[in-house]
């Protein structure tokens, strides 16, 4: 039964997400700051762990931009909820997951802020940009219909989600460039 759900999720993903040029652009948008942070992390001393962590997160988000892994996981979660009869009661679970996700992002942000306390002027932009991108991906993955309605409003032919994602990538890229240039 579980393999059937996984194969259905992969089929839905394969047919509903054709590979497009914008996927390559978004992957490069995540991949370039990931490369910069990983290269700084391999050569850095005291800030090595934070740089490797941020680079790793951005590299995973680059893979997600191409392969839409969050869509596969969302489909699997919906299928499991439907099969177990819990799909109708998902609203409270979504709210709880949002609270836990916000708490995790805040804890990670506080931890990174503490570990980079003397270097926040250099690293703040890349940390805040990456956490904003993680939060945006998390909000999209929860599939909370009220949030989705806002994220998919189109402005100049592009969804608000993509505008926010592009702004977050630009901010993260700018911060990663500053870190890369100074090291």
């Amino acid at each position: 039964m579980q393999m059937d759900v996984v194969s259905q999720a992969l089929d839905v993903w394969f047919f509903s997400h054709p590979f497009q040029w914008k996927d390559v652009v978004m992957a490069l948008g995540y991949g370039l700051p990931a490369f910069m942070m990983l290269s700084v992390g391999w050569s850095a001393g005291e800030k090595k762990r934070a740089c490797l962590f941020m680079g790793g997160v951005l590299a995973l988000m680059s893979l997600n931009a191409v392969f839409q892994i969050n869509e596969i996981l969302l489909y699997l979660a919906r299928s499991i909820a439907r099969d177990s009869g819990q799909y109708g009661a998902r609203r409270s679970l979504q709210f709880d997951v949002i609270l836990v996700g916000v708490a995790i992002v805040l804890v990670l942000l506080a931890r990174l802020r503490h570990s980079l306390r003397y270097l926040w002027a250099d690293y703040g932009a890349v940390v805040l940009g990456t956490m904003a991108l993680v939060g945006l991906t998390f909000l999209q993955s929860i599939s909370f219909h009220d949030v989705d309605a806002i994220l998919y409003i189109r402005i100049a032919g592009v969804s608000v989600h993509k505008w926010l994602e592009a702004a977050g990538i630009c901010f993260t890229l700018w911060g990663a460039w500053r870190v890369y240039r100074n090291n």
Side-chain angles (χ1 to χ4, degrees):
M1 169 98 172
Q2 292 297 335
M3 283 306 293
D4 188 40
V5 171
V6 172
S7 66
Q8 286 177 344
L10 291 174
D11 287 344
V12 167
W13 168 81
F14 183 74
F15 291 112
S16 66
H17 290 95
F19 193 69
Q20 300 175 352
W21 67 268
K22 66 180 179 178
D23 297 329
V24 174
V25 171
M26 293 308 248
L28 288 174
Y30 285 111
L32 190 57
F35 171 75
M36 290 179 192
M37 294 306 292
L38 289 171
S39 65
V40 169
W42 276 305
S43 65
E46 66 195 62
K47 50 205 179 259
K48 181 176 187 163
R49 285 191 322 208
C51 289
L52 290 176
F53 175 75
M54 298 304 291
V57 168
L58 288 165
L60 288 174
M61 293 190 70
S62 178
L63 289 173
N64 185 50
V66 173
F67 297 113
Q68 299 294 320
I69 299 163
N70 61 331
E71 295 291 328
I72 296 171
L73 295 176
L74 178 62
Y75 184 83
L76 285 173
R78 283 181 181 160
S79 297
I80 292 169
R82 280 190 191 110
D83 290 347
S84 66
Q86 298 296 317
Y87 190 75
R90 71 188 183 282
R91 182 76 68 174
S92 63
L93 179 62
Q94 286 174 323
F95 186 71
D96 292 343
V97 170
I98 288 172
L99 288 178
V100 169
V102 168
I104 289 170
V105 167
L106 289 176
V107 167
L108 283 174
L109 187 59
R111 178 71 180 125
L112 285 169
R113 173 79 169 101
H114 177 71
S115 66
L116 297 170
R117 63 187 167 272
Y118 302 115
L119 304 166
W120 188 253
D122 293 335
Y123 287 82
V126 71
V127 170
L128 290 175
T130 302
M131 289 298 128
L133 289 169
V134 167
L136 185 62
T137 301
F138 181 74
L139 274 178
Q140 180 194 14
S141 298
I142 292 299
S143 188
F144 202 58
H145 295 298
D146 299 333
V147 174
D148 286 346
I150 295 169
L151 289 177
Y152 292 104
I153 293 173
R154 298 185 90 57
I155 299 173
V158 179
S159 68
V160 169
H161 171 261
K162 290 297 180 190
W163 283 113
L164 291 173
E165 188 175 22
I169 287 172
C170 288
F171 191 67
T172 304
L173 183 59
W174 173 71
W177 173 250
R178 287 181 53 204
V179 169
Y180 186 76
R181 184 188 62 199
N182 292 334
N183 288 300

